[in-house]
Amino acid sequence: MLMCSRTAVPLTRSLLARASPRPVVCANFHTTNIRQDIDQAAKYIGAGAATVGVAGSGAGIGTVFGNLVIGYARNPGCKQQLFTYAILGFALSEAMGLFCLMMAFLMLFAF
């Protein structure tokens, strides 16, 4: 709890006669158990919503490698070039999933 106090008092009577009373500025912070529970629940809901992107990342990786197999079947001569593009697609999709997971952990442990 913060303590409330008035500002410094003027030294001379003339200043004291002219000075208007200053309001006392006081800020009391009250946190109840119910408020803490609501904040904790909001953190869990936000982290759960952020992890939905990880499922999208898994679907993206499956799509990339599924299309890689289809590309191999249609044109076996471009195997190396298709594999390079597949690895690039895998890395980008995995990065998005990791960013979503990072945001979930930030919501849980940083705020």
Side-chain angles (χ1 to χ4, degrees), residues 16-92:
L16 187 60
R18 288 189 301 174
S20 62
R22 294 183 184 170
V24 177
V25 178
C26 180
N28 293 326
F29 297 106
H30 297 288
T31 303
T32 61
N33 289 334
I34 295 172
R35 173 125 177 131
Q36 288 175 350
D37 291 342
I38 291 172
D39 291 345
Q40 194 70 22
K43 283 170 52 174
Y44 288 144
I45 291 169
T51 56
V52 171
V54 177
S57 173
I61 291 169
T63 302
V64 165
F65 284 109
N67 288 330
L68 175 67
V69 171
I70 292 171
Y72 281 171
R74 289 186 177 185
N75 193 0
C78 293
K79 186 174 183 178
Q80 186 60 38
Q81 186 179 7
L82 288 174
F83 185 72
T84 303
Y85 290 147
I87 293 299
L88 180 64
F90 166 75
L92 293 174

Side-chain angles (χ1 to χ4, degrees), residues 53 57 61 88-102:
S57 173
I61 291 169
L88 180 64
F90 166 75
L92 293 174
S93 183
E94 186 70 22
M96 287 298 117
L98 289 175
F99 289 150
C100 292
L101 195 62
M102 179 189 65

